Amino acid sequence: MPEWHTLAAIGVLGLVSYALRSGGFLAGSLMREGSALARFFQLAPGNLFVAFVAAACLEGGLASIVGCTASLTVMIVTRKEWAALAVGFAAAALVAGAR
Amino acid sequence: MTITTQPASSAKAICSRAGVRRGLLAALPFLLSNGVAGVVMGVAYRGVGLGFVPSVLFSVVVYSATAQAVTLGLWAPVPPIIPMAVACIATNARYLVMGAHLYQIFGKLRKRITLPILFLLADASWLMTSADAESNDADIGYLLGANVPMAVGWMGGTALGYGLPLAPGGPISVAAALLPAAFIVTLLPTQWRGARSVLPWLLSAAGALLVGSLVSPNWAMLAGGAVGTSFSMMRGDNA
């Protein structure tokens, strides 16, 4: 049986995590339609995609850079997601294995 | 420039079984990537002496790789709950932004539908849902469906990793860790708006690299995206 302070820690962290996940949504109802903030959120996703990939490449190093580049190239050429993921995965594994 | 998600007033938001199925199928690769990451987390939990039940409970209740990794670093026989909660807020504050953005898409749906689905909100499922809402009806079923393989992979991986005599590392682990980023890469062509995308995207990447290097990887995506989006707003781009 887990000790009570372990369960308490898990419970508190779970509550905090869900409060953050739902809190933004609930706060969104306070945002005026057409406001600068609302426009910001509508424009944001594409830029966030790029930033997400850049951050992943920074963290994952050469294997991630090669894998992402391979995925992007295959996606542009074939428009097939599964092919892009498979080639990216294989390229990253090859680079990681070679180092 | 990058997305044409309609404002809440004119958007038709739905929750459909077809959306659940579409999201689930699209996110299937995350079963592997989150599964491998979960295995690593399970191995790490066993390493600090946490029992099997609390280890799995952690991944089910908290369900956040970054928060779990950071709080694992603070683990002690009597866990320091307040510092852990502060660390959890710092690493997961980005969910506030994601939730606010999702309100723009799903704000008209009943909260008894949206709020439970947000329990499993993850970076990748949010990004995928944002992209899907551009080409299909805004369907929160898609978010629910996309969450399932990610959550099953993470939670199941933690349980598996705890029980198996594995050590983290190796080429397959490295490649599996790349899958979320590779998946987002496959969405990029749909977001491309020609020459108008070049500068905001360069600024987003540069901002992410700078913040990731100098501040924290947890904030790199939001900070980089904020830089590029601010530029788009100042230039007067339309959503």
Side-chain angles (χ1 to χ4, degrees), chain B residues 10-80:
Chain B
S10 58
K12 183 190 171 194
I14 57 172
C15 180
S16 74
R17 281 183 192 173
V20 174
R21 194 165 52 244
R22 209 172 59 249
L24 195 143
L25 289 174
L28 274 181
F30 288 92
L31 197 58
L32 175 64
S33 61
N34 280 20
V36 172
V39 164
V40 173
M41 187 55 74
V43 171
Y45 278 141
R46 195 184 59 218
V48 297
L50 207 60
F52 176 77
V53 171
S55 296
V56 176
L57 210 53
F58 233 123
S59 285
V60 171
V61 174
V62 181
Y63 184 54
S64 167
T66 46
Q68 287 179 240
V70 168
T71 52
L72 182 68
L74 300 172
W75 197 259
V78 177

Side-chain angles (χ1 to χ4, degrees), chain A residues 1-97:
Chain A
M1 180 70 187
E3 294 181 35
W4 71 268
H5 41 68
T6 300
L7 292 177
I10 294 169
V12 168
L13 295 176
L15 276 176
V16 168
S17 293
Y18 183 64
L20 293 168
R21 284 183 167 105
S22 57
F25 190 86
L26 294 172
S29 61
L30 305 174
M31 204 173 358
R32 275 188 305 109
E33 185 187 318
S35 66
L37 198 56
R39 193 165 153 252
F40 184 90
F41 283 126
Q42 287 158 19
L43 284 166
N47 294 307
L48 287 164
F49 290 0
V50 172
F52 181 88
V53 173
C57 287
L58 177 70
E59 209 166 341
L62 185 62
S64 290
I65 294 169
V66 171
C68 285
T69 306
S71 284
L72 182 61
T73 307
V74 173
M75 188 66 191
I76 289 170
V77 172
T78 67
R79 296 273 161 183
K80 292 192 186 330
E81 198 174 85
W82 61 267
L85 289 173
V87 171
F89 183 89
L94 278 175
V95 172

Side-chain angles (χ1 to χ4, degrees), chain B residues 145-167:
Chain B
N147 281 334
V148 171
M150 298 179 191
V152 169
W154 179 247
M155 296 164 191
T158 303
L160 197 66
Y162 192 95
L164 293 176
L166 295 174

Side-chain angles (χ1 to χ4, degrees), chain B residues 167-180:
Chain B
I172 300 300
S173 295
V174 172
L178 162 81
L179 275 178

